[in-house]
Amino acid sequence: MRASFRLGRIAGVPVGVNWSVLVIFVLIAWALSASLFPRSYPGHSPVAYVAAGLAAAVVFFVGLLAHEVSHAVVAKRNGIEVEGITLWLFGGVAELKGEAKDPGAELRIAGVGPLVSLVIGVFFAAIAVAVALAGGHGLLLGALSWLAGINVLLAIFNVLPAAPLDGGRLLRAAVWKATGDRTRASVVAANAGRVLGILLIGFGLWRFLAGAGFGGLWLALIGWFLIGAAGQEERAARMGDALRGIRVADVMTPQPQTASGDLTVADFVDHYLFAYRHSTLPLTADGRPVGLVTLDRVRGIPADRRPSTTLAEVSCRADELVLARPDEQLTELLPRLNECTDGRALVVADDRLVGIVSPSDISRAVQRGSLRQQAPAGR
């Protein structure tokens, strides 16, 4: 999930927000200020309800961010690099660059998020009790109570034993510990995720038909998302198993054809694209990668502009490149490659370009890995 804009860094981790988070933010603020708060605490002005709804929604997302930051901090303490944190339509995600080395690390990384949400919920519940004992009532007490309840509910939902929820990670850690097989554990968690997704879709549709309105459809939408995400996790686990032990250097195309960013798009089409049959061209300066041009990017340039447009103008920027080391495990590169628009990684050693990894390189590696796994059974 890509961030539409960045908020900054927390604990050294980049934090961003996808545009889709605005949808759920508006829905939460609207539901609180236009329905829940006026119904439960009548007698206030519309401005007061809107202010309370907006404040509660903001605090909720701050708590959601704390949930994801906790995952990132514990992951870093367990030797896993964190690409960033992104808040989006279905909550938040901490993008890890690798996997836990053992079931214990998996347990710690997955378990800390729901624990933080539970602590936040208990914290607001304690404040709400204190306010009530002091004679407070109305919108303040309502907002505190809602924040307490929603964070506890978030903690409970996240520990459901189904991928891709934190509870699915906990289930995977348990199965991994019991069987010693990471891939089998991932498949078990993914299957549990599919089951939960189906149940949520069925329950959500039943609620919608029973008159629950958007709330029922939202549950069904979450179920649909869980089914899709669980399937992706299972495919990634099986692919990771097939690629385990394979290095980037084993699959890369060494010493790829390169060009300067000063080359025009017309020259690229006339002298590189057809002569070398390359659909991708790394741009270098003194041997260092500074950009990447693909056929898709070139197609977007009208023919009459190609003689006056340089490759540097249409290439991805240097800070958008996916870089890898020759000795890096291919399984560690895959998560970064999947987030790359161009689908390629440039391999560097001592800051100099030594190779390129494309989707076809990955496919061939997966086929070889699958054949290697099947070999004993075929004897």
Side-chain angles (χ1 to χ4, degrees):
M1 176 54 57
R2 289 185 172 272
S4 301
F5 57 91
R6 292 292 181 185
L7 298 180
R9 287 178 175 268
I10 299 178
V13 178
V15 177
V17 175
N18 182 268
W19 67 267
S20 61
V21 81
L22 296 177
V23 176
I24 190 62
F25 178 85
V26 170
L27 288 174
I28 290 175
W30 175 79
L32 292 175
S33 59
S35 179
L36 179 62
F37 288 164
R39 184 176 67 249
S40 303
Y41 308 97
H44 296 276
S45 68
V47 174
Y49 290 128
V50 170
L54 289 174
V58 168
V59 175
F60 167 71
F61 277 98
V62 170
L64 195 61
L65 180 59
H67 177 116
E68 297 302 332
V69 168
S70 68
H71 284 310
V73 170
V74 175
K76 291 175 67 175
R77 289 182 178 177
N78 283 271
I80 301 176
E81 294 185 42
V82 182
E83 184 77 22
I85 294 171
T86 303
L87 298 181
W88 71 300
L89 181 64
F90 290 108
V93 58
E95 303 163 28
L96 308 184
K97 287 187 177 181
E99 294 185 330
K101 305 301 181 184
D102 55 69
E106 179 93 331
L107 179 68
R108 291 188 291 272
I109 295 169
V112 69
L115 179 60
V116 167
S117 293
L118 180 61
V119 169
I120 292 173
V122 171
F123 171 75
F124 281 112
I127 297 179
V129 170
V131 170
L133 291 176
H137 61 279
L139 284 178
L140 176 60
L141 183 59
L144 291 171
S145 300
W146 181 82
L147 286 169
I150 196 66
N151 279 283
V152 171
L153 183 62
L154 180 64
I156 294 173
F157 180 74
N158 268 280
V159 295
L160 293 177
L165 302 176
D166 293 330
R169 304 282 188 269
L170 297 175
L171 175 62
R172 184 169 73 171
V175 177
W176 183 6
K177 178 68 174 178
T179 65
D181 189 334
R182 184 207 300 259
T183 302
R184 179 180 176 185
S186 298
V187 172
V188 169
N191 287 335
R194 291 192 185 92
V195 172
L196 177 60
I198 293 171
L199 291 175
L200 284 177
I201 290 175
F203 182 65
L205 292 178
W206 175 77
R207 290 277 296 163
F208 175 74
L209 294 175
F214 179 77
L217 289 180
W218 182 249
L219 285 176
L221 185 61
I222 292 176
W224 172 80
F225 164 74
L226 288 179
I227 292 174
Q232 290 180 351
E233 292 215 356
E234 181 178 353
R235 289 190 294 272
R238 294 190 184 279
M239 179 181 293
D241 190 45
L243 298 178
R244 188 158 291 115
I246 299 178
R247 301 175 307 151
V248 170
D250 298 329
V251 303
M252 72 179 188
T253 300
Q255 304 303 326
Q257 179 69 39
T258 64
S260 167
D262 296 329
L263 190 72
T264 66
V265 172
D267 286 337
F268 167 67
V269 173
D270 294 338
H271 302 112
Y272 285 83
L273 181 61
F274 298 106
Y276 296 97
R277 300 181 183 275
H278 294 315
S279 62
T280 304
L281 189 68
L283 306 183
T284 59
D286 298 326
R288 293 179 297 101
V290 296
L292 184 71
V293 173
T294 64
L295 182 58
D296 289 337
R297 290 178 178 268
V298 169
R299 284 173 176 161
I301 306 300
D304 60 334
R305 288 180 48 202
R306 291 176 182 176
S308 60
T309 303
T310 65
L311 293 184
E313 295 177 71
V314 300
S315 71
C316 67
R317 303 189 308 270
D319 61 350
E320 295 176 331
L321 293 174
V322 176
L323 302 179
R325 304 183 310 276
D327 60 346
E328 184 177 359
Q329 292 294 311
L330 194 56
T331 52
E332 296 178 359
L333 172 62
L334 282 180
R336 308 202 304 275
L337 202 59
N338 291 336
E339 293 292 329
C340 173
T341 303
D342 296 305
R344 274 84 171 173
L346 300 182
V347 187
V348 295
D350 298 325
D351 293 329
R352 303 185 71 82
L353 180 69
V354 297
I356 186 171
V357 177
S358 68
S360 58
D361 295 325
I362 301 295
S363 297
R364 286 192 293 269
V366 171
Q367 292 174 355
R368 291 197 300 268
S370 299
L371 290 174
R372 182 185 61 201
Q373 293 175 339
Q374 296 170 6
R379 291 176 183 172

